[in-house]
Amino acid sequence: MEQGVRNTPERTAFYAKIDRDNLSALWNVMDALITPEPRSACRPALWPFDTIRSYMLEAGGLVTAKEAERRVLILENPGLRGQSKITTSLYAGVQLVMPGEVAPSHRHSQSALRFVLEGSGAHTAVEGERILMQPGDFVITPSNAWHDHGNASSEPMFWLDGLDIPVVQFLDASFVERLAEDEQPLTVPDKDSFARYGHNLLPVDLKHSTKTSPILIYPYDHTREALEQMQRRNAWDPCHGLRMKYTNPVNGDYALPTIGAFIQLLPKGFSTSRYRSTDATVFVPVEGRGRSRIGDALFEWGPKDVFVVPSWCWATHEADEEAVLFSYSDRPIHEKLDLLREDRGNA
Ligand code: GTQ
């Protein structure tokens, strides 16, 4: 308690007495519970891809994807060690699938996104569709969808996994099932979900019962093309440069109900105005080099590095070359609960 209710022998005895009946006095914890601003244990941090990559290849020689179920190194926020969290509400891991490997099929209530970092031609199978992945592709695995991963290419494949594991944990809503076979049967042609839902067309009698986008892959060549066209207008947001969100074509909402994903272009030499928001955000530079000031920390970044901006922490970004940044956060939750707060400084 900052000011606090002073302790007296009578009060201390009272607290001890009610404690035995599973009761406690609000006036001793009020200021810790209802803070004037978010007080996050999450800290600014950056993981260089080179470091992750070399540890992952080492892990590749230690455990198979089949043994591990998923061969993933978890990016643990330095302020949240031991909790498998990159922010208070979100999980991040880097997954490696070696040539010829299969990560066996399972389904769980947690939603997942993949952001492809390196390699080409490995796939994830989701809801009976084989999805071939290229660097920069944004791929989703809806809650409770069967999924397995495979790599028929000749190169190791690395991608970033973003999951809502801490949210599902908080809500005590975790379920998982494993398939008897390693790989689920493929029941639809390749590229079906993108063809059906990714071209500003929807089936006339659409029946889609979930809150997750029916588009399972948002290919980078389309995303990049969109950014390339838009940047010609030369109209930049002072805080974001040019920032777009990946959307669900059925309802215009985010692609996943719990995780918002974004793509952003900063032109060469651009320096953003300071910005903070309640949704702690994980960034992955795709192209270009630059640096970000996050609170008191300064991080130099390049392609495939991962860095995190905690809730309500000031951040600015500076691009030495034209840069593209992927990011994800729990913004859909903040928006739906009327908790999203942003501060654009003076911009
Ligand atoms: O690929 O299904 O990083 O279930 C963590 C949990 C990946 C996956 C993770 C998972 C997966």
Side-chain angles (χ1 to χ4, degrees):
M1 193 94 211
E2 262 114 342
Q3 268 97 44
V5 176
R6 274 187 308 104
N7 268 345
T8 63
E10 293 80 1
R11 287 170 181 173
T12 305
F14 174 73
Y15 303 142
K17 189 162 69 185
I18 67 171
D19 180 73
R20 292 193 287 274
D21 286 305
N22 302 313
L23 293 164
S24 77
L26 172 64
W27 58 87
N28 287 330
V29 291
M30 185 83 166
D31 288 0
L33 295 179
I34 303 176
T35 60
E37 288 190 354
R39 254 184 228 164
S40 184
C42 177
R43 296 214 293 262
L46 177 141
W47 292 258
F49 181 66
D50 287 347
T51 307
I52 300 173
R53 188 182 191 282
S54 72
Y55 284 137
M56 294 251 32
L57 289 172
E58 208 178 319
L62 287 173
V63 278
T64 64
K66 190 170 162 70
E67 272 180 294
E69 189 164 340
R70 297 294 183 265
R71 188 198 295 105
V72 175
L73 293 182
I74 302 169
L75 279 58
E76 287 205 336
N77 190 282
L80 303 163
R81 292 306 311 273
Q83 301 179 54
S84 306
K85 296 174 175 184
I86 190 160
T87 68
T88 307
S89 63
L90 294 174
Y91 160 101
V94 173
Q95 180 155 180
L96 166 64
V97 186
M98 294 296 276
E101 281 192 326
V102 171
S105 210
H106 68 194
R107 64 173 179 176
H108 41 67
S109 45
Q110 291 81 358
S111 296
L113 66 82
R114 329 272 168 208
F115 190 74
V116 182
L117 299 174
E118 187 188 307
S120 153
H123 70 270
T124 180
V126 180
E127 301 195 304
E129 180 174 332
R130 184 179 65 146
I131 296 152
L132 285 164
M133 297 185 283
Q134 306 291 329
D137 290 353
F138 166 61
V139 179
I140 62 167
T141 309
S143 172
N144 289 316
W146 290 107
H147 55 288
D148 43 84
H149 315 306
N151 185 356
S153 84
S154 55
E155 293 155 25
M157 181 96 177
F158 299 86
W159 64 75
L160 183 80
D161 288 321
L163 283 87
D164 56 5
I165 290 171
V167 174
V168 175
Q169 192 174 45
F170 177 73
L171 297 172
D172 286 332
S174 176
F175 295 92
V176 66
E177 294 164 81
R178 291 175 180 88
L179 201 65
E181 302 75 35
D182 282 353
E183 294 180 282
Q184 66 185 296
L186 300 176
T187 54
V188 298
D190 283 4
K191 302 195 174 185
D192 190 72
S193 79
F194 190 69
R196 218 166 273 271
Y197 304 105
H199 293 87
N200 297 318
L201 295 167
L202 288 174
V204 67
D205 290 318
L206 176 74
K207 290 181 191 69
H208 186 73
S209 55
T210 74
K211 295 183 177 65
T212 300
S213 172
I215 303 174
L216 300 174
I217 179 164
Y218 297 73
Y220 190 59
D221 54 353
H222 289 254
T223 306
R224 192 64 182 90
E225 160 82 13
L227 294 175
E228 199 55 40
Q229 292 291 337
M230 280 185 279
Q231 64 137 337
R232 291 161 56 195
R233 201 185 276 191
N234 209 25
W236 307 102
D237 179 278
C239 297
H240 303 305
L242 172 59
R243 193 176 194 220
M244 307 292 286
K245 56 185 179 188
Y246 291 88
T247 62
N248 174 344
V250 175
N251 57 13
D253 208 332
Y254 294 94
L256 295 166
T258 47
I259 312 177
F262 309 85
I263 196 82
Q264 177 172 8
L265 187 137
L266 302 174
K268 181 179 160 72
F270 196 82
S271 210
T272 67
S273 290
R274 68 185 189 143
Y275 172 83
R276 60 179 175 172
S277 61
T278 49
D279 60 324
T281 304
V282 179
F283 285 87
V284 187
V286 191
E287 297 176 31
R289 303 203 152 268
R291 67 198 53 75
S292 299
R293 181 166 292 285
I294 308 169
D296 295 331
L298 182 66
F299 297 117
E300 301 276 340
W301 44 255
K304 297 176 267 192
D305 294 340
V306 180
F307 64 88
V308 59
V309 180
S311 168
W312 214 238
C313 183
W314 287 112
T316 57
H317 312 289
E318 210 179 300
D320 295 339
E321 310 155 10
E322 181 173 273
V324 178
L325 304 176
F326 171 81
S327 53
Y328 70 94
S329 78
D330 57 2
R331 185 174 294 219
I333 302 177
H334 289 249
E335 288 182 350
K336 293 204 178 56
L337 302 184
D338 278 345
L339 291 171
L340 183 71
R341 202 183 277 211
E342 296 178 276
D343 187 346
R344 297 175 55 94
N346 300 317

